[in-house]
Amino acid sequence: MRTVTLGSAGLRVSRQGLGCMGMSDFYGATDDTESIATIHRALDLGVTFLDTADMYGPHTNERLVGTALADRRDEVVLATKFGIIRDPANPAARGINGRPDYVRASVEGSLARLGVDHIDLYYQHRVDPTVPIEETVGAMADLVTAGKVRYLGLSEASAATIRRAHAVAPISAVQTEYSLWTRDLEQDILPTLRELGIGLVAYSPLGRGFLTGALRSTADVASDDFRRGLPRLQGDNLEANLQLVAEIEKIATDKGVTPAQLALAWVQHQGDDIVPIPGTKRRRYLEDNASATEITLTDAEADRLGTLGASVAGDRYPDMSTIDS
């Protein structure tokens, strides 16, 4: 698999990455043995850009990824995140912390759990509205100077916040949800990234699995799967959004690819400065996703898909208050 450059500081990653969150949290039952095998298979296929965070579990996903990479660290561009706080006694509770002392403490925890001496790409997972972004990014930049982190990133940051952060230290990538059915960043955020020379890492490029056609109702996922609470999978929203999936399935059939591959190919068509990180915990889905890097869309095909995905019913999350705007 070929590699691309994100940002102007020299970060090179595989054309597609692997989101590891679901291996430990949020998507029902887990299987560490299969998850580790999936990570190893990803590396064999050239999918070497791995994404985790300290809040996945919390903490268990970083440990899992660290175990998988114990003897393959030099093959990987490893990304993790800090800033969302979960109470182990109440995992549904959320807090956000961007204070410099918390940045410093968080990186030490992630390094230990991952079993590495440096993190390739370190993101602030959510912007803390109570702490100036300049203070948070200043502390992150100190980690680069100390050799604990190589490149800096933000997640779910607004255009204005990205500008302020990038003025303090080079931001190589911004991670935000982006797919055929999540397009809001095209208005302000994506133009800002391209103006500043910052890459986009697209999480949930398969619409949390919905764009694959595998989900027809919340009954299709486990009782503890967080997707049961997503507004886009409820009532009238679900019925409207299923029409989009039906059209994707038709186009995919005509092209001889799977709906998942088509959705990923659309994201990739938007530019080499955009890298999707579809998440999976099973090798069979990984292999299907990775094959999407070999699919080329014509401009007409991409435009048709883009038109279909321009109108989606429902918000991304039940509570959008933690999304910087």
Side-chain angles (χ1 to χ4, degrees):
M1 185 176 296
R2 68 187 180 92
T3 61
V4 296
T5 299
L6 295 179
S8 58
L11 174 62
R12 289 195 66 81
V13 302
S14 53
R15 186 65 186 89
Q16 185 183 114
L18 174 62
C20 298
M21 179 187 78
M23 296 176 178
S24 304
D25 209 356
F26 297 109
Y27 286 90
T30 61
D31 180 341
D32 287 357
T33 299
E34 176 62 18
S35 292
I36 290 172
T38 299
I39 291 173
H40 290 166
R41 181 60 177 150
L43 303 186
D44 293 341
L45 293 171
V47 180
T48 56
F49 182 32
L50 303 187
D51 184 87
T52 182
D54 61 4
M55 67 89 70
Y56 301 157
H59 300 157
T60 55
N61 193 241
E62 286 186 325
R63 294 190 185 102
L64 174 71
V65 171
T67 297
L69 301 182
D71 58 354
R72 302 187 69 170
R73 173 64 179 99
D74 59 352
E75 300 177 48
V76 174
V77 176
L78 183 56
T80 192
K81 316 176 197 71
F82 74 93
I84 298 179
I85 302 172
R86 295 172 68 188
D87 181 354
N90 180 15
R94 296 287 188 276
I96 299 176
N97 193 336
R99 296 193 304 271
D101 60 338
Y102 186 76
V103 176
R104 292 187 287 268
S106 293
V107 77
E108 297 299 339
S110 289
L111 288 169
R113 287 185 292 271
L114 291 163
V116 299
D117 61 7
H118 73 276
I119 293 161
D120 297 303
L121 176 58
Y122 200 42
Y123 295 99
Q124 182 184 20
H125 206 162
R126 291 291 186 271
V127 176
D128 185 343
T130 70
V131 178
I133 192 64
E134 291 83 358
E135 293 183 14
T136 304
V137 174
M140 294 168 69
D142 289 342
L143 302 179
V144 176
T145 301
K148 297 178 181 182
V149 169
R150 290 188 173 172
Y151 302 96
L152 304 181
L154 303 175
S155 181
E156 293 286 7
S158 68
T161 298
I162 293 165
R163 289 185 183 279
R164 290 170 57 194
H166 194 62
V168 175
I171 301 299
S172 290
V174 169
Q175 184 177 134
T176 297
E177 186 173 353
Y178 185 51
S179 69
L180 273 170
W181 80 340
T182 300
R183 307 276 297 283
D184 48 303
L185 63 79
E186 292 175 347
Q187 182 173 359
D188 296 316
I189 294 173
L190 188 54
T192 298
L193 297 180
R194 286 177 166 162
E195 175 191 337
L196 299 176
I198 299 171
L200 172 66
V201 175
Y203 79 82
S204 294
L206 297 176
R208 306 194 183 278
F210 189 72
L211 299 178
T212 69
L215 302 181
R216 300 294 174 177
S217 77
T218 53
D220 292 332
V221 298
S223 60
D224 58 347
D225 191 310
F226 94 108
R227 289 175 290 184
R228 281 180 171 261
L230 295 180
R232 290 181 176 179
L233 299 184
Q234 309 299 317
D236 291 343
N237 290 343
L238 174 63
E239 293 305 313
N241 293 330
L242 282 172
Q243 296 177 28
L244 166 62
V245 174
E247 292 300 318
I248 291 173
E249 289 174 328
K250 290 178 185 177
I251 298 171
T253 297
D254 290 343
K255 197 170 178 64
V257 300
T258 68
Q261 290 171 334
L262 188 69
L264 289 170
W266 181 86
V267 174
Q268 292 158 186
H269 187 85
Q270 307 312 305
D272 276 355
D273 57 344
I274 300 176
V275 173
I277 52 167
T280 184
K281 50 190 174 182
R282 296 181 180 89
R283 281 169 284 181
R284 67 180 185 273
Y285 297 134
L286 166 77
E287 291 171 354
D288 187 69
N289 293 342
S291 296
T293 59
E294 302 170 7
I295 297 169
T296 300
L297 299 182
T298 66
D299 288 341
E301 289 171 329
D303 289 347
R304 181 184 176 193
L305 286 164
T307 299
L308 291 172
S311 179
V312 174
D315 287 334
R316 293 194 281 141
Y317 295 104
D319 178 6
M320 294 288 288
S321 64
T322 64
I323 305 299
D324 184 41
S325 60

